[in-house]
Each structure stands twice: as C-alpha cells, then as structure tokens.
C-alpha cells in the first residue's frame, strides 16, 4: 500500500493536534511501510546534569516515532493511543540530535506492537536506547 501522505503532513498534524511535541522539536523525517523515523532537535534546556539528554526527552521521542509508524497502517489517525511502552537506556545520549526509528512488529485488529531504536545523529551503530510497546487502535 502506497502512503498518501508525507512526513510534512505528519508534522502538520502534530503541530495542530499535539503542539507540545512539536514545540519540543520532535519531527517525522521519514515514513515507510510499517516504519517511521523521527528526530528530536538538540535543545540544551532538555539536558540533565552532565550534559545528558534527559530520559523523559528520549521516552517522548520514542513514543512519537511509534505514533508516526502507526500512521503507515491507520492513515493520519491522531486517536491511536499508547497502551504500553518500555524503554531500556543503553548509553548516555549527548551532543546532538536524536533519531528514533520505529518499526511495527505486529498489527492486529486491536493493537499494534512495535520496536524503537534510538541514536545520536551520525552514530547509528551506537544505540542510546531501545523501546518496545503497543498502541491501541481507535
């Protein structure tokens, strides 16, 4: 199934339906069949002591990337909601934009299950976090 919308369309939906995520610098940069790539633009105000990108920032980006991936199955449906999401932090995230690739692992009539891998821009081989969770279909 070919997508009928672009990352720009997703970002416009986020800007209007979830402005806090948009204002935090979270954007959809790529969409594919059952996958989405999101970016968080580096913002020093979101750093913890030690210049680490905060865990809540990474968690929020993982959730947004997963939400974007659900659009590839559901269309631009803003009402799909997280039913559970867990994250494992692998190494400190520092000094750059964060990218998060969400991949849908299972799609059923009631829920979507996915995995999200996260890294600092330019260092995809050094994951900073991995998350997995599910979304409830509207």
């Amino acid at each position: 199934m070919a997508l009928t919308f672009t990352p720009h369309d997703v970002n416009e939906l986020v800007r209007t339906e979830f402005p806090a995520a948009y204002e935090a610098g979270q954007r959809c940069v790529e969409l594919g069949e059952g996958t989405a790539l999101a970016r968080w633009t580096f913002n020093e105000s979101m750093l913890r002591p030690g210049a680490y990108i905060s865990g809540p920032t990474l968690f929020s980006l993982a959730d947004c990337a997963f939400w974007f991936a659900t659009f590839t199955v559901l269309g631009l449906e803003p009402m799909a909601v997280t039913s559970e999401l867990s994250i494992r932090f692998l190494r400190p995230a520092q000094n750059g934009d964060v990218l998060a690739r969400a991949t849908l692992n299972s799609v059923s009539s009631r829920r979507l299950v996915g995995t999200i891998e996260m890294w600092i821009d330019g260092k995809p081989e050094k994951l900073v976090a991995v998350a997995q969770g599910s979304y409830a279909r509207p």
Side-chain angles (χ1 to χ4, degrees):
M1 171 181 89
L3 296 177
T4 59
F5 52 90
T6 66
H8 173 77
D9 297 326
V10 170
N11 292 329
E12 280 302 301
L13 177 118
V14 173
R15 186 180 66 74
T16 60
E17 299 293 327
F18 190 19
Y22 191 86
E23 291 168 12
Q26 298 177 6
R27 301 290 187 277
C28 179
V29 294
E30 182 181 295
L31 296 166
E33 187 175 325
T35 186
L37 182 67
R39 174 184 295 269
W40 170 78
T41 304
F42 185 81
N43 177 341
E44 287 186 6
S45 73
M46 302 300 286
L47 300 181
R48 292 184 59 121
Y52 296 144
I53 297 167
S54 73
T57 299
L58 296 173
F59 192 93
S60 179
L61 181 63
D63 193 28
C64 272
F66 192 4
W67 188 39
F68 301 161
T70 70
F71 298 155
T72 69
V73 172
L74 304 175
L76 289 177
E77 170 56 64
M79 289 307 298
V81 294
T82 311
S83 56
E84 59 92 19
L85 186 65
S86 64
I87 192 165
R88 186 167 305 241
F89 300 104
L90 305 175
R91 63 176 43 89
Q94 294 179 292
N95 304 319
D97 291 5
V98 179
L99 293 165
R101 178 166 308 279
T103 304
L104 299 180
N105 305 120
S106 175
V107 176
S108 73
S109 62
R110 300 191 70 181
R111 80 180 173 155
L112 300 96
V113 176
T115 302
I116 306 97
E117 296 183 327
M118 306 176 75
W119 64 93
I120 298 296
D121 193 14
K123 300 176 185 175
E125 71 286 353
K126 293 188 175 184
L127 296 180
V128 297
V130 176
Q132 188 169 42
S134 61
Y135 258 68
R137 291 182 86 145

